[in-house]
Amino acid sequence: MGVALGRLVQWTAPGHGTRVLEKTPLNEAILKEIIMFAESFIYKHPQEAKYVFVEPLEWKTDLNPSAFESGYVVSATTVKSEESDENGQPLLFLSVPQIKVRSFGQLSCFLLIAKDTKLKEAQACIEGNRNPVAKILGLDYNTMKEESSILNILDKITKDNDTESEIKMKIAILLKQLDVNLLNHSLKCISLEIPLHPAAVKNDIELLKRFSGKGEQTVLESIKYTSDYEYPNGCRAPPWRQILGEICYVLVKPHDVETLCITCSEEGVFLNGGKTDDEEINYERKGVIYKDLVTCLKEKSAKFSENMSKQKTRFNEELQKEKNKPNETPKKEAPGALRKAIPGSDKTMLEKNQINFGKSNMIKRLEPSLNWKTTIDSKEYNVFRHRVSIHEERHGGRVEKSAPSVSAGKAQLIRKSGEKVEEIVSESSSESEEDEEPPDHRQEANADLPSEYWQIQKLVKYLKGGNQTATVIALCSMKDFNLAQETCQLAIRDVGGLEVLINLLDTDEVKCKIGSLKILKEISHNPQIRRNIVDLGGLPIMVNILDSPHKSLKCLAAETIANVAKFRRARWAVRHHGGITKLVALLDCAQNSAEPAQSSLYDARDVEVARCGALALWSCSKSYANKEAIRKAGGIPLLARLLKTSHENMLIPVVGTLQECASEENYRAAIKAERIIENLVKNLNSENEQLQEHCAMAIYQCAEDEETRDLVRMHGGLKPLATLLNNTDNKERLAAVTGAIWKCSISKENVTKFREYKAIETLVGLLTDQPEEVLVNVVGALGECCQEYENRVIVRKCGGIQPLVNLLVGINQALLVNVTKAVGACAVEPENMMIIDRLDGVRLLWSLLKNPHPDVKASAAWALCPCIQNAKDAGEMVRSFVGGLELVVNLLKSDNKEVLASVCAAITNIAKDQENLAVITDHGVVPLLSKLANTNNDKLRRHLAEAISCCCMWGRNRVAFGENKAVAPLVRYLKSNDANVHRATAQALYQLSEDADNCITMHENGAVKLLLHMVGSPDQDLQEAAAGCISNIRRLALATEKARYT
Amino acid sequence: MNRKKLQKLTDTLTKNCKHFNKFEVNCLIRLYYNLVGDITERQGTVNGLDRNAFRNILHVTFGMTDDMIMDRVFRGFDKDNDGNVSVSEWVYGLSLFLRGTLEEKMKYCFEVFDLNGDGFISKEEMFHMLKNSLLKQPSEEDPDEGIKDLVEITLKKMDNDHDGKLSFSDYEQAVREETLLLEAFGPCLPDPKK
């Protein structure tokens, strides 16, 4: 209490008479706390309430004696309490207007009597008694140094062990507690009041930055400023916003909500309107003002507050360790009874206090005005120091446990966070090229620098300090350096040339812009430079240049964008600044065929503009969201039109873009609609390998669609594809071509054509010594082709089976799926099967059932079916695989529908062998199959029904299926729309109907009517099975009737 | 001026003018006489646009600021060196100035930059033209050092025969390689941004 009153309470300036308390919210809050303490004292601590103060608390009261009731002796101007001390002095004595109170009990009563005016009374009391603690407990208690107080008190207690001093002691502790409480309380008030300071905000953000990044443990995904420029006063807001007290703007991406754009101002922290399209911030406030960033984020993101508390415990644990050390010694000396009394509340208070500090870093702000008790001070200071140490760790390279990105440099952090944003906005579809950030190695300061470095430095100096004439000369001269060489590229950056070059783009000087872009275009081939350009905000400027009336400028800007947009964040930036629409607009340039003569020296040809536009779109189209943006901007018809031209260097980016985009369903439809296939096919015949590759790739993407496959055939695309197979030097093109053949051969007519062109033989030849990308496609194509008898024969005759079986031992998942399918397709031919069996192919297939990937499992199981069907002595073969049957049965526990269907099909084939059926029955196939019965998947239903019907052939399996409740769901299969399901189900029901109980179940579930319907089917098998089933049911009914009447 | 005379003048000038059509020539002639008229009112008799009036046009219309270059542009227009731009010089000059082909412009620019008219742009001439092109940095010992260096850079870039001065063929070759060098020593053509 003493400290709080002495230091915290705000007094009016000294000078005029007695000092009074200022009327401030803080004072009011403190008074209220004190009142609460005093009022409740009598209930909470009845014994201590009786303690008589060493000196009475005296003040002038406005309270009327008449207000006092029972328990008081009231006269006109005086009031005496009936309660008195040992000497008979009343504990409360009022002689208007002076009042003296000598115990907490009376103080409590008095405050209760005062009712509405208690605030005023409390104020008067505090004003009248500047040192209440001394009056209550005596001077010796007050003058004690705070740290040693406990020790001193202990001393006293041990010396004179009387009850009075013990009570005194307790009161002292209570008052101290109150004091701490008041400090805490006022701290909260102060923190609310004090305007945020740029340094504090910066500290907050830096701290959060350190604890953000990828992973679950971090508090945020990213946090970054909207502006990298910091004014000397520590603000980042533009000056005209600083006037309004705004300090900076931050983009925060929490784990669980969208990116927040937050304004930090002196008043507090609030959400603003976010970034608008043109890179501006909508400064308007959205929502309430929070006192600091952490509070704001806690409110907005549950994940943040959760992780924040985790971080905090960690944070506090360390603090605790430090804190506990010095405290340990005195504690040991303390007698047990006291130990209980002291630490509890006191310490938790302090801890809470610290948490507050950790959050808002207020130490600095508070230090000048308040002198904390040394204990608190040192702890607070620890918080501060701890933060500093985190700061330093970053440089030392020590990695924080929960903040993996701490050790990385700041630049990288910012970049990472940028990437995060991108990740959310658009997942790149083709990650093939550099998407990870390469380390940023700057030239060592003392390394031997090449002479170019100094020359470039000089030129950059002229760029900076020259007028446009000098600038143009410097630019032209810089262009003469070998800009493809990394030394020069990095030299330009390291001497600050990039900034100047990008700044030049923002001027009105066309010549300077052209010169600058010519250099940027070259050096942006370097991945690091690309990133630097994006970091320096080059993309928005270049995107703006796309609107320029000067075509050569547009070209250069588009080409540079094409180079820069090779990584995600850049592509995001292009789209974000409206670049896609503008680039698509460039494609439109080439439409007026009658080109005017070059009217200006700075004009390029329209075709060139379109080419550069396509080039940039090609780069951009590697992000999913950009594909969508291109489509929305109407890019597809324009690309289709450009595809009709015959310039190779135009066609490559156009086809490249289409090929990238064709991964999207929307595009494939549009490509079909725009008759693009025709031109793709035409360009397959081009001389240019790159163009051929991209065309084949585009066809590969599009040919998922049946109509497209037909279009490829109709436009004569199959022959060039088959021809291109013979050229195996260019592996990329080969992969694209084989891919196109694979997808095209899904259509039977195409397969016939391929056979005509002898493509099958060539494909078999490609089964060896090819990279996996090619193999996947070749095997895929063979898998499709081998659906036909002729091709199966061709594959065998060409010796294709051996290499196929050899590929079964691979690990590439896509390849395995295709290989198993191809082997399965070949196995349909008994002659092929002999070869496969000889090569132990079935065992290899069987072992693929253990592959972790469900696609491979399913594909292997499908492939096993024809193998079992066509193998000689299949039953023996199957049994020879140790643990094989158990493995298959256990696969019925899978949750992948395709795996289940394939395994059911395999079981159908296995169960055809009686001995094997007995084994799988022992492995519990019946309950497992029955469990699957409740499915809506027609494919699974069909194979399941077949498996059930085959499994009925053993022992009491029929009965077991009934017991496992497989019958009723099977009856429902008859309502499916799939004829295959009907046939399989009818057969299964026929088998099951051999058991009387099953017949009853079927009858109950209305099977008869459905089956009667099936009897009318044109499918003979179905007819037969349905009729058989009905007859079994009927026979049972007759037998029952007969039994009843006899 | 009466209509008939104007018509006749237009016809003659259009015949020899590559880049303007009749209508444009007509407009330019009118513009010329308007401009000359203004001056006549102010100064009495005048037989064409004088140096100051022309420089004023260059400054106001084309945003040129460099005195020396503007003087040189005036000389480029004033083919007969009589100190005035006549109406035919006006139309022909503007034809090149605004619509000239690269060849024409190169020739014109070279003449502008060849201050003494000896067929070469010497180092001294370059220095003269570039001397105000760099921000003077007080820290540097020799304030002209940067300019000298810039001259050397330019020479290195453009002087193909290494004779220490730029002939027209040097200049032409350099410009064909890099069009930006057309106005290497100062803006003497209309700014493309307009």
Side-chain angles (χ1 to χ4, degrees), chain A residues 911-960:
Chain A
K912 282 174 184 154
D913 181 273
Q914 284 289 309
E915 255 181 83
N916 290 339
L917 176 55
V919 177
I920 59 174
T921 307
D922 286 348
H923 286 310
V925 76
V926 176
L928 283 171
L929 286 175
S930 307
K931 211 182 266 176
L932 296 175
N934 280 312
T935 176
N936 293 321
N937 183 317
D938 272 341
K939 191 170 187 182
L940 176 55
R941 281 175 165 189
R942 173 188 169 188
H943 293 287
L944 179 63
E946 280 173 3
I948 290 178
S949 93
C950 285
C951 288
C952 282
M953 307 297 191
W954 182 255
R956 57 182 299 279
N957 280 0
R958 286 191 183 87
V959 186

Side-chain angles (χ1 to χ4, degrees), chain A residues 1 32-42 44-45 104 108 111 171 174-175 177-178:
Chain A
M1 192 166 178
K32 276 185 182 157
E33 279 294 302
I34 295 175
I35 291 171
M36 245 165 57
F37 173 78
E39 255 184 337
S40 56
F41 201 93
I42 193 163
K44 284 187 183 160
H45 317 278
F104 276 112
S108 298
L111 284 170
I171 292 179
L174 287 171
L175 286 176
Q177 235 166 284
L178 172 68

Side-chain angles (χ1 to χ4, degrees), chain A residues 100 116 550 617 762 947 1035 1038:
Chain A
K100 293 179 184 178
D116 298 340
H550 300 282
L617 284 177
T762 326
R1035 221 173 282 150
L1038 285 171

